[in-house]
Amino acid sequence: MAWAKYIKLAAGLLNILLGAFVLILVLLPVHAFISTWGGTTVGPLLVWKSWKEILLALLVPLVIWYCLLRPDVAKTVWNHWLTKLVALYVVLQFVFAITSQASTDAALAGLLMNVRFFAMLVLAMVVLASGHPAVLRLKKWLPGWLLATTVALSVLAILQVTVIPRNFLAQFGYNKDTTIAPYLEVDQSSSALRAFATMRGPNPLGSYLLLPLALAVVILARQRRNMLAWAALVLGTVALVLTSSRSAWLGGLAGLLVLALAMVPKAQLIKWAKRGAIPAIIALIIFGWLAVTVPQVRLAVFHSRADRATLTTGSSDEHWQKTIDGIKDVAAHPLGQGVGTAGPASFYNKNQPPKVAENYFVQIGQETGVLGLAIFIAINCVVVMQLWRQRADPWAKALLASFVGITVVNFFLHGWADDPTAMTWWGIAGLYLFEARKKK
């Protein structure tokens, strides 16, 4: 009887963990919209913005309890090098949060931003290792849900820059001074709107789309008549272009290159490279000429109006200067200055002005020093190697290509600080990085 009670308790805990995981995944694409609307009409805004972090924090004791009841699951999860590195990194984050030079609010915000996506990873790995039959159903449901979500977001993004009035979102609490701007423009040009759908901005939408777009390509390589994949690929690509997110564009190109390496035979790649080298050079020359002579192309690609002194005057120059300043800051403080002293969390810091390096890796170096940066890079390397070993699996291809793409984004922005992109990618990766132990 006692053993039956343990089994029933473990099953109940697993159902809660699985349900919470699915709930977070489903709501992440509309999180910014829900939290802005709910936070401004019901309040408080901070609680609405932090609902997923609060939920993950409440799940921690349940995960520990479940692992105590199922030591086999705990052993399976812990046996992976990735888990050990993540655990070390999270412990380091807590240490640097406690000893941080930032204010309490900034340190707490930085800690949540830095560990929440790893919490999703571990939660997914625990659910996967449980061997529950519902996990198989979840994995079958995920592709269709992700592609359908992409179609919905893309349609909204397209309408946002074509049909929907600019201030439409203002009625839902959107305000550039307190929450999120109801509309965004390229280099403050009224003729060039940027799409962001229900995300916090164009760059988050662009980075979020990289995973479903890669998945759509992988699916279409096997199922040419999959209409949902075609819709997600076409509409998602249009939405990606309309974000005017240059980092996401580069990430998308990097992802395509990875997919080509993983899916196309080497001989075919060499043949394509030989045939396409000259046309590619000609296209680049024409593109450069258009960027200099056509104001619309210049604005879209360089985010620089025609009245600017140079092509990089404005956001481009500011971006590089912030990154350089951040690198200098890391060199001056190689041991780190504490969680919350840099990145988006530093806006909560009352002790000093915010430090935004426009580079996630530089941010980690600023906060946790060379040691924290080295551990984070090691985690990235383990993920890439594992996905490359599993590249025969369709999900592994999509995850690998999108991971490389999002990594490119992180060289230009604080990509992993964006909750929909980070928590979605790492959560789904936790279900596919390692196979669950086979159970009867």
Side-chain angles (χ1 to χ4, degrees), residues 384-399:
V384 169
M385 289 188 294
Q386 182 64 31
L387 289 174
W388 181 256
R389 283 195 290 264
Q390 297 176 206
R391 64 186 181 278
D393 180 78
W395 263 109
K397 293 189 189 77
L399 286 166

Side-chain angles (χ1 to χ4, degrees), residues 160-439:
Q160 199 170 41
V161 298
T162 56
V163 178
I164 298 176
R166 293 187 174 213
N167 283 309
F168 175 76
L169 290 173
Q171 60 186 313
F172 299 103
Y174 281 64
N175 185 300
K176 66 177 182 179
D177 297 320
T178 56
T179 54
I180 304 173
Y183 65 91
L184 292 166
E185 301 168 337
V186 179
D187 196 26
Q188 299 178 350
S189 173
S190 59
S191 62
L193 290 175
R194 301 181 67 182
F196 59 93
T198 55
M199 299 293 179
R200 290 196 62 83
N203 294 316
L205 175 60
S207 60
Y208 181 88
L209 290 172
L210 295 182
L211 174 57
L213 286 176
L215 178 63
V217 172
V218 173
I219 290 176
L220 289 172
R222 301 160 61 94
Q223 305 172 20
R224 299 290 178 87
R225 296 182 180 181
N226 190 313
M227 292 297 102
L228 181 57
W230 273 114
L233 179 61
V234 174
L235 293 173
T237 301
V238 174
L240 179 62
V241 172
L242 293 178
T243 63
S244 294
S245 175
R246 294 171 294 176
S247 59
W249 293 351
L250 292 175
L253 291 175
L256 279 177
L257 178 59
V258 172
L259 288 177
L261 292 174
M263 298 169 63
V264 181
K266 185 177 179 180
Q268 185 66 45
L269 284 176
I270 294 175
K271 184 182 295 185
W272 286 354
K274 290 180 179 179
R275 292 179 178 179
I278 295 178
I281 294 173
I282 295 174
L284 285 174
I285 294 173
I286 295 175
F287 176 76
W289 175 76
L290 289 173
V292 174
T293 58
V294 181
Q296 291 80 3
V297 177
R298 171 176 175 159
L299 186 64
V301 177
F302 292 96
H303 289 195
S304 176
R305 300 192 308 266
D307 59 350
R308 297 282 193 177
T310 65
L311 288 176
T312 59
T313 300
S315 62
S316 297
D317 286 343
E318 293 172 3
H319 166 84
W320 290 114
Q321 188 58 52
K322 288 180 179 179
T323 302
I324 292 171
D325 291 342
I327 294 173
K328 291 179 179 177
D329 194 31
V330 174
H333 304 90
L335 298 180
Q337 302 164 75
V339 172
T341 57
S346 65
F347 285 98
Y348 295 93
N349 194 359
K350 301 175 183 177
N351 302 333
Q352 59 187 19
K355 295 180 180 179
V356 182
E358 303 283 2
N359 184 306
Y360 190 78
F361 295 96
V362 174
Q363 173 199 324
I364 296 302
Q366 288 175 290
E367 292 184 316
T368 58
V370 176
L371 176 61
L373 179 58
I375 297 174
F376 184 73
I377 292 175
I379 292 173
N380 281 252
C381 292
V382 170
V383 169
V384 169
M385 289 188 294
Q386 182 64 31
L387 289 174
W388 181 256
R389 283 195 290 264
Q390 297 176 206
R391 64 186 181 278
D393 180 78
W395 263 109
K397 293 189 189 77
L399 286 166
L400 178 60
S402 57
F403 184 80
V404 171
I406 297 172
T407 299
V408 171
V409 172
N410 278 287
F411 276 106
F412 299 97
L413 298 168
H414 301 266
W416 291 132
D418 175 57
D419 32 10
T421 298
M423 296 176 72
T424 299
W425 193 94
W426 288 94
I428 294 178
L431 296 175
Y432 293 93
L433 268 171
F434 305 98
E435 289 297 325
R437 182 173 58 86
K438 293 187 178 297
K439 290 176 60 64

